[in-house]
């Protein structure tokens, strides 16, 4: 008898960070995540972050240097918003906190695409995206030949 294998989906994402307090402040204040749990033991500092009680992101203070885009591993972390207006609200909040963006404003995922969003970096340089599947019609695409989220 064969057992059916369930379809996998992304659970939570774990990021190594250089300074837990700094990263915790960013993901809590800039992106609105709630602290679900935290460990402050010597050499074992971490935080569990989520929304509505569901774990979304874990931060582990284990990195000795900033994110390295050319290294194997995580390329970027993308968050989905419910509507393009929410993406613009996050853009405004992030700008108010002095976050620098990879592109100016909301951009399309590719030329003529309805999907798009904003692209920026966390305090350690990890590439982040907040996007929606529709609502970015007419937004500029930074490159015609490749997806926007692939090369920022």
């Amino acid at each position: 008898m064969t057992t059916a294998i369930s379809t996998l989906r992304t659970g939570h994402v774990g990021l190594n960070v250089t300074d837990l307090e700094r990263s915790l402040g960013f993901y809590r204040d800039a992106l609105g995540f709630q602290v679900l749990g935290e460990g402050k033991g010597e050499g074992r500092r971490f935080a569990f972050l989520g929304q509505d009680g569901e774990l979304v992101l874990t931060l582990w203070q284990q990195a000795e240097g900033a994110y390295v885009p050319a290294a194997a591993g995580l390329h970027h972390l993308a968050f989905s918003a419910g509507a393009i207006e929410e993406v613009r609200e996050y853009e405004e909040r992030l700008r108010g906190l002095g976050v620098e963006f990879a592109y100016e404003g909301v951009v399309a995922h590719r030329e003529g695409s309805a999907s798009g969003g904003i692209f920026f970096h966390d305090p350690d340089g990890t590439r982040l995206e907040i996007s929606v599947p529709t609502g970015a019609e007419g937004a500029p695409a930074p490159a015609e030949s490749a997806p926007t989220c692939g090369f920022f």
Side-chain angles (χ1 to χ4, degrees):
M1 183 184 283
T2 305
T3 306
I5 297 175
S6 66
T7 302
L8 294 177
R9 64 179 184 84
T10 303
H12 68 275
V13 174
L15 296 178
N16 278 340
V17 299
T18 58
D19 181 331
L20 183 65
E21 292 305 318
R22 179 181 69 173
S23 293
L24 183 57
F26 174 81
Y27 284 97
R28 182 190 57 226
D29 300 342
L31 300 181
F33 287 106
Q34 302 152 345
V35 178
L36 303 178
E38 199 171 354
K40 297 184 179 188
E42 184 61 37
R44 299 209 179 266
R45 300 197 61 213
F46 63 90
F48 296 150
L49 305 176
Q51 292 178 323
D52 301 322
E54 182 178 341
L55 180 63
V56 175
L57 185 65
T58 59
L59 304 176
W60 308 93
Q61 187 170 304
Q62 297 180 18
E64 294 180 8
Y67 175 78
V68 179
L74 179 74
H75 180 275
H76 73 284
L77 176 56
F79 298 106
S80 296
I84 195 70
E85 293 78 19
E86 291 177 29
V87 175
R88 294 186 197 288
E89 287 174 20
Y90 276 109
E91 177 187 11
E92 187 176 318
R93 179 189 295 182
L94 292 163
R95 285 198 191 285
L97 294 170
V99 172
E100 292 185 27
F101 290 77
Y103 309 110
E104 187 58 39
V106 171
V107 296
H109 277 128
R110 68 179 144 260
E111 194 69 37
S113 176
S115 66
I118 54 175
F119 299 83
F120 55 100
H121 300 84
D122 81 356
D124 283 312
T126 300
R127 296 181 282 205
L128 302 173
E129 167 187 354
I130 299 175
S131 62
V132 289
T134 61
E137 295 88 351
E144 291 181 29
S145 63
T148 300
C149 60
F151 300 93
F152 71 102

